[in-house]
Amino acid sequence: MKASLSGATAIVGIGATEFSKDSGRSELQLCLEACKAALDDAGIAPRDVDGLVTFSMDSSPSIMVGRGLGVAELRYFSLVDYGGGAACATVAHAAAAIAAGLADVVVCYRAFNERSGRRFGSGDAAIQARGESPMAQHFGYYSPYGLITPAAWVAMAARRYMHKYGATSEDFGRVAVAARAHAATNPAAWFHGRPITLADHQSSKLITDPLRLLDCCQESDGGVALVVVSAERARDLPGKEVLITGAAQGSAHDQQMMTSYYRDDITGLPEMGTVARQVWSQSGLGPDDIQTAVIYDHFTPFVLTQLEEFGFCGRGEAPDFIRDGAVHLGGRLPLNTHGGQLGEAYIHGMNGIAEAVRQVRGTAVNQVPDVHNVLVTAGTGVPTSGLVLSAA
Amino acid sequence: MTRPQPVIGRDNAYYWEGVAKGAVLIQKCTACGSLRHPPSPMCPECQSLDWTTVKATGHATLHSYTICHHPLPPWEEGPYAVVLIDLEIEDSDRRPRIVCGAKGIANEDLRIEMPLSLVFENGLVFAGPAREGGAS
Ligand SMILES: [Zn+2]
């Protein structure tokens, strides 16, 4: 593959609101606060922004964000589909636009009141899907039977993974224990100062068997924004460059929205395999070159699957890979050092990209030594995306 | 709030009409013979728009399941199972999958690969204990 995108652009600013359960303000305001913070971090004036990218699910229209920021003109604006699968793709779209000359300064954003407003875990969206649209018909294969929550959609695949590979609930629990350990020392995390044990995980209530409460990410209010410019422009800015060396989206054979149950084998995430092949090829890197990773953790079982898709271990081997602390600080591959969406906040994956930037800059609260390259992934069970961020 | 009803459109009406009459129908490409589910207007194997349906025998095996505890929808009285099943199709070695509810099996008795039979009720299909001779 021609690696024209790799290293051509950089993330030069990150910004966020506080992460809470009730922000007390509008999603648009959260968005604008995060965007302004990211631009301040980058040292770029808001009027210089000429591109905006967000999720198709986001409620803040690019023109209202542009108006609030006082941008002179927008030359590139794009929405990425499929829920949390869009997170890293916002940066991929920004990088592609800048590399193609369609924009110079692109802000990627996601902001919502996901806890105090519409809660994804309620099942309401699936229940209320109606009409002739293909996606409404899709949800209609499941809602009459009560398969209506993201946790339940993941649980169906997780149960088969357990059957095929002999994985246990404790194997899932170790992912949560690591996340909460990292959140415990991150003052920005909702679960700051509140680590859990594997016993806590095992005694947490069943949400949708085999998933327990502590296998499930939080519900959060907040916003995160990222500023992307060319690598050339980044060199003239005050901060340390964080190069985008891999950026890709992926959807695979017989892809469904959260219910890819019709493939011969439902224990993998081949759409993430599509992402993995691309980001490794673009960056010229592989699993051994990654010092720390932010692996999308809406539900713990798919963290294991993603480690397998990226080749950190073989199929079905992730439970062994993580068993002895490999994903904790000091381990072979510290994961989600901000606490992840299980521990810091659920901002649809965007807070994880910010953490990856901090790790490359060397400014994370749970800093991993000598970080050169960080892998970041987006939402799983859906068409998804990923990034490799690297030091210059 | 009552149990949601199927969402029916032009592309999938055959499926829900079949279920309402007591049969699970699976789309079969007239051109190349391949089976597909969920419904789609075009055959992914050969791009033909011509299709017919074949009827599942009523025998199935459990591919996976989850038992939903929380949130409990108002139409359910306690933790309930949702199952993913491999359907037997006569004269075919393909085993298309569907998601449905479970009926007449205790949640704790569910085992992956266990045999099941289809049960039809109120316009929906459920997996029940295996019976001799199929379900329809
Ligand atoms: Zn065909």
Side-chain angles (χ1 to χ4, degrees):
Chain A
M1 185 185 291
K2 186 163 171 277
S4 62
L5 201 66
S6 185
T9 57
I11 299 179
V12 293
I14 56 175
T17 65
E18 83 289 1
F19 305 133
S20 75
K21 303 299 180 188
D22 186 0
S23 74
R25 49 212 198 274
S26 73
E27 293 183 335
L28 180 59
Q29 180 168 336
L30 293 174
C31 172
L32 288 165
E33 290 179 22
C35 290
K36 177 64 165 60
L39 288 161
D40 287 349
D41 182 51
I44 294 176
R47 67 176 173 278
D48 291 342
V49 172
D50 61 356
L52 290 169
V53 185
T54 187
F55 297 43
S56 59
M57 284 183 78
D58 196 274
S59 71
S60 295
S62 56
I63 53 171
M64 294 190 190
V65 176
R67 177 169 175 258
L69 290 173
V71 304
E73 59 179 6
L74 283 176
R75 300 195 294 137
Y76 183 80
F77 27 98
S78 142
L79 300 178
V80 187
D81 215 345
Y82 306 116
C88 295
T90 62
V91 175
H93 283 216
I98 291 165
L102 298 177
D104 293 323
V105 178
V106 181
V107 178
C108 305
Y109 63 86
R110 178 78 174 114
F112 55 17
N113 288 320
E114 197 280 328
R115 178 60 183 81
S116 65
R118 186 167 189 133
R119 301 171 66 179
F120 299 163
S122 69
D124 290 350
I127 290 172
Q128 291 159 6
R130 281 290 170 270
E132 177 76 19
S133 86
M135 204 54 93
Q137 288 171 42
H138 158 82
F139 287 115
Y141 298 124
Y142 312 109
S143 56
Y145 306 111
L147 192 72
I148 51 176
T149 64
W153 295 323
V154 170
M156 188 74 84
R159 172 57 69 188
R160 185 73 191 189
Y161 181 93
M162 295 168 84
H163 173 79
K164 182 169 180 177
Y165 295 117
T168 65
S169 171
E170 290 193 345
D171 295 325
F172 302 149
R174 289 185 184 93
V175 172
V177 171
R180 291 291 293 271
H182 299 156
T185 51
N186 172 12
W190 179 257
F191 285 119
H192 179 229
R194 285 181 282 173
I196 59 167
T197 65
L198 197 54
D200 294 332
H201 172 272
Q202 288 295 293
S203 61
S204 68
K205 69 178 178 182
L206 280 168
I207 297 297
T208 176
D209 185 50
L211 298 190
R212 297 180 174 279
L213 177 66
L214 293 176
D215 289 305
C216 304
C217 68
Q218 302 177 62
E219 301 175 291
S220 306
D221 287 9
V224 171
L226 312 158
V227 182
V228 183
V229 301
S230 70
E232 190 181 357
R233 184 170 184 145
R235 283 192 284 275
D236 298 331
L237 291 168
K240 182 177 172 183
E241 291 165 74
V242 178
L243 295 175
I244 299 165
T245 50
Q249 291 182 272
S251 167
H253 171 73
D254 210 355
Q255 183 75 51
Q256 305 278 326
M257 183 74 179
M258 294 303 292
T259 57
S260 294
Y261 300 153
Y262 310 97
R263 298 164 171 160
D264 288 344
D265 182 357
I266 67 165
T267 63
L269 290 166
E271 53 280 1
M272 195 58 91
T274 300
V275 171
R277 285 192 303 279
Q278 293 180 87
V279 297
W280 292 148
S281 169
Q282 291 166 332
S283 63
L285 302 172
D288 291 343
D289 301 308
I290 300 296
Q291 288 78 43
T292 178
V294 180
I295 302 295
Y296 198 92
D297 59 341
H298 52 2
F299 303 102
T300 57
F302 280 172
V303 172
L304 303 183
T305 320
Q306 291 180 81
L307 291 171
E308 296 168 10
E309 291 290 350
F310 278 92
F312 290 101
C313 56
R315 296 278 172 201
E317 294 175 0
D320 288 333
F321 180 83
I322 70 163
R323 193 177 314 277
D324 295 319
V327 296
H328 285 252
L329 283 175
R332 146 76 187 92
L333 183 73
L335 283 191
N336 301 345
T337 48
H338 55 320
Q341 303 191 97
L342 295 158
E344 184 181 63
Y346 175 73
I347 312 294
H348 240 166
M350 294 294 268
N351 51 320
I353 303 173
E355 173 68 2
V357 170
R358 287 188 292 265
Q359 285 289 351
V360 174
R361 288 176 171 176
T363 60
V365 290
N366 294 317
Q367 184 63 44
V368 173
D370 303 320
V371 171
H372 300 285
N373 304 295
V374 183
L375 172 71
V376 195
T377 68
T380 44
V382 291
T384 188
S385 55
L387 296 171
V388 176
L389 302 182
S390 304
Chain B
M1 187 167 35
T2 56
R3 183 187 288 273
Q5 292 304 296
V7 181
I8 300 173
R10 290 178 206 198
D11 294 334
N12 72 353
Y14 76 89
Y15 179 77
W16 289 114
E17 286 165 6
V19 169
K21 291 175 187 161
V24 169
L25 301 178
I26 298 295
Q27 226 170 0
K28 179 180 183 177
C29 175
T30 317
C32 77
S34 65
L35 303 179
R36 63 181 186 266
H37 185 82
S40 169
M42 182 173 281
C43 172
E45 302 296 328
C46 76
Q47 292 71 52
S48 171
L49 293 168
D50 297 323
W51 53 272
T52 180
T53 59
V54 291
K55 185 174 150 184
T57 64
H59 295 298
T61 55
L62 186 62
H63 194 83
S64 195
Y65 63 96
T66 182
I67 298 157
C68 304
H69 292 251
H70 183 83
L72 203 59
W75 62 87
E76 295 284 356
E77 291 172 353
Y80 60 98
V82 186
V83 299
L84 176 65
I85 59 175
D86 296 310
L87 298 172
E88 182 187 78
I89 303 290
E90 202 165 4
D91 300 326
S92 173
D93 58 359
R94 299 302 299 169
R95 294 287 178 267
R97 266 177 224 142
I98 62 166
V99 165
C100 65
K103 201 69 101 178
I105 306 172
N107 291 339
E108 58 273 23
D109 290 340
L110 290 167
R111 298 284 182 278
I112 287 179
E113 308 294 4
M114 74 189 291
L116 301 163
S117 291
L118 300 182
V119 182
F120 296 87
E121 198 176 290
N122 297 327
L124 298 176
V125 56
F126 297 86
R131 291 190 303 270
E132 291 300 310
S136 47

